[in-house]
Amino acid sequence: MRRVPKQIGLLYVVLVGAFLAWYIARGHRVDILVTVVSALTALIALPASVVAVLRSGKTRPAPTHLGDMADQLAQGVRHQWEAEARLRRLNDPFPLPVAWEAADANLVESWTQLKELAEDWPGQSPEAASAWALSPAGLAGKGGDIIQVFERVPTRRLVVLGEPGAGKTMLLIRLLLAMLEHRPPGGPVPVLFPLASWDPARQDLYTWMADNSPKTTPP
């Protein structure tokens, strides 16, 4: 907005003062002049007020960036499962040693087929393919190896099987927290959903996941 020069402002004051002096000298009532000036001022200010109201009505809060929302969700997931790990005492006094190996061949699809499926996915990078295991035998590991093993799976789909008390839950929580630790800002967020609470006859999968998603933590 351009500023009004001081000379014009002074001239305006002088003219208004001269008009008031002439008006009073002519014997006119001052209260009538005040009423007229107030009415004119209100009329002059009315358009600006209308424009301000219309602009305020059009103003909307800036939408939250998707990456920021993902970061908030990641923080909520981390808090949820770190608290769960403490409650279950998964690392007290030290993490339970868990080892695993690839499942029997008759329980899974062929490794060649899984690799071909992953290679056809849009945006698949050669760097990611170079980290894949050569065969299911390359998925064996123990302890904190779970995040590296998961990255060796071409489809990034991993099923953990085992007897009750074998350490499946602890292994998945460890995988979840490791993925959050290596997650880039704004990147995908891993979320752990216990399927025991899902009733397919009462609720579809996506609605159930939305209802059971962790609460985000404000930044």
Side-chain angles (χ1 to χ4, degrees):
M1 181 180 293
R2 297 179 58 185
R3 299 182 60 183
V4 178
K6 293 183 179 180
Q7 294 82 355
I8 296 178
L10 291 175
L11 179 60
Y12 176 81
V13 172
V14 171
L15 291 175
V16 171
F19 174 78
L20 291 175
W22 172 82
Y23 188 88
I24 296 173
R26 297 282 294 181
H28 297 292
R29 294 174 55 185
V30 177
D31 56 344
I32 297 177
L33 177 63
V34 171
T35 302
V36 173
V37 172
S38 300
L40 289 174
T41 302
L43 289 174
I44 293 172
L46 181 60
S49 302
V50 172
V51 171
V53 171
L54 292 176
R55 286 181 177 177
S56 63
K58 294 180 180 179
T59 302
R60 294 289 185 272
T64 304
H65 191 272
L66 183 60
D68 296 335
M69 297 176 64
D71 292 340
Q72 292 181 30
L73 176 60
Q75 189 173 2
V77 173
R78 180 190 297 274
H79 289 169
Q80 175 187 359
W81 289 103
E82 284 180 344
E84 185 71 17
R86 289 192 297 269
L87 181 63
R88 294 173 179 245
R89 304 180 67 177
L90 297 183
N91 298 310
D92 185 14
F94 49 80
L96 178 67
V98 178
W100 61 89
E101 59 184 13
D104 294 337
N106 59 349
L107 295 177
V108 296
E109 297 181 12
S110 70
W111 194 253
T112 301
Q113 185 176 359
L114 291 178
K115 291 176 64 176
E116 291 176 352
L117 177 64
E119 288 171 351
D120 290 338
W121 285 351
Q124 188 66 264
S125 64
E127 292 78 9
S130 64
W132 296 345
L134 299 179
S135 67
L139 302 183
K142 61 180 180 179
D145 297 341
I146 184 62
I147 181 63
Q148 289 82 11
V149 168
F150 183 74
E151 292 174 351
R152 296 177 200 154
V153 181
T155 58
R156 294 296 182 94
R157 296 171 182 172
L158 186 65
V159 178
V160 179
L161 305 175
E163 299 293 333
K168 298 185 299 297
T169 299
M170 189 204 71
L171 192 64
L172 291 176
I173 294 176
R174 180 179 290 177
L175 172 61
L176 176 78
L177 295 177
M179 293 176 68
L180 289 171
E181 185 69 26
H182 294 84
R183 171 186 171 272
V189 182
V191 180
L192 189 59
F193 290 97
L195 287 176
S197 63
W198 178 40
D199 182 2
R202 185 180 61 87
Q203 201 172 30
D204 67 88
L205 178 61
Y206 293 111
T207 302
W208 170 80
M209 293 175 69
D211 291 343
N212 289 272
S213 296
K215 305 301 180 183
T216 58
T217 302

